[in-house]
Amino acid sequence: MNLPNKITISRILMIPFFILIMSVDFGWGTIRVLGTNMPVEHFVGALLFIIASTTDWVDGYIARKYNLVTNFGKFLDPLADKLLVSSALIMLVELQLAPAWIVIAIICREFAVTGLRLILAETGEVVAANMLGKIKTWTQIVAIAVLLLHNAPFESMGFPFGDIMLWVALFFTLWSGWDYFKLNKDVFKDSK
């Protein structure tokens, strides 16, 4: 259990706290952030999500810099991302900040790719995320963070940046999923 893997596990452990803060009205009132009013719980939840998301970059950087890349990390890191992103997307639907059909499409893609990764793992192949997958992850994170912050600072300008980023994230999510299956289609050739 090296440091990057511990950081990845910390990302997973932050998810229940994020869900709790976003789900429960603690009566903390409202806060004005960059011209947008929101419940304090949403602001704190958004910060927790941003911190958890940042650990994705940190664990990867440390793993590459100090040659601590492991198969466990290659498996756990994308799983941690999927758990965090899926939890946040479901919270956005609960809060009526994102349409359910987009969230369903994104989560279905994540399940499909995870299933493919498990099939590949059975053959001894662990595939790290490619650049398209990383773009997908970061567009999702930006979209979610902005939506959790109620589109601040763009709300005061009347510009739906969070909604636009969610569409961009959907595009890259579907494209990277298609690419992942296209690159690994040989795994299904022995199927009867």
Side-chain angles (χ1 to χ4, degrees):
M1 184 62 66
N2 62 30
L3 179 60
N5 292 342
K6 289 178 182 175
I7 294 170
T8 302
I9 289 171
S10 76
R11 181 158 70 252
I12 294 170
L13 295 176
M14 286 187 228
I15 295 169
F17 296 103
F18 164 76
I19 293 169
L20 179 68
I21 289 171
M22 294 300 296
S23 300
V24 177
D25 181 1
F26 291 102
W28 295 344
T30 59
I31 186 172
R32 188 161 181 82
V33 178
L34 302 170
T36 303
N37 290 324
M38 69 188 75
V40 173
E41 292 89 349
H42 293 185
F43 178 71
V44 172
L47 290 181
L48 188 56
F49 173 82
I50 292 166
I51 291 165
S53 298
T54 304
T55 66
D56 181 37
W57 178 83
V58 172
D59 62 17
Y61 174 79
I62 293 170
R64 287 184 298 277
K65 181 172 181 172
Y66 296 103
N67 197 26
L68 297 171
V69 176
T70 64
N71 281 344
F72 180 68
K74 287 181 194 176
F75 170 76
L76 190 63
D77 184 64
L79 180 61
D81 293 341
K82 288 172 182 22
L83 292 171
L84 178 64
V85 165
S86 296
S87 299
L89 286 169
I90 292 167
M91 287 307 310
L92 288 172
V93 171
E94 172 70 18
L95 299 170
Q96 299 180 359
L97 297 173
W101 75 268
I102 291 179
V103 170
I104 290 166
I106 291 172
I107 292 175
C108 285
R109 179 271 188 206
E110 301 299 353
F111 274 111
V113 169
T114 299
L116 181 56
R117 282 182 180 270
L118 291 173
I119 293 169
L120 291 169
E122 279 183 12
T123 66
E125 189 175 347
V126 179
V127 182
N130 62 19
M131 184 53 66
L132 194 53
K134 291 177 183 183
I135 293 169
K136 177 268 309 180
T137 298
W138 283 102
T139 57
Q140 288 176 352
I141 288 169
V142 170
I144 292 167
V146 173
L147 290 170
L148 288 172
L149 289 168
H150 294 247
N151 200 41
F154 305 98
E155 185 65 27
S156 61
M157 296 179 258
F159 181 64
F161 181 73
D163 294 332
I164 292 168
M165 281 306 302
L166 189 60
W167 279 95
V168 171
L170 176 65
F171 172 77
F172 280 107
T173 298
L174 297 177
W175 182 17
S176 65
W178 174 82
D179 186 62
Y180 200 89
F181 274 87
K182 184 184 77 162
L183 292 174
N184 295 289
K185 65 182 179 281
D186 292 345
V187 76
F188 299 109
K189 284 191 176 176
D190 67 348
S191 299
K192 299 286 183 201

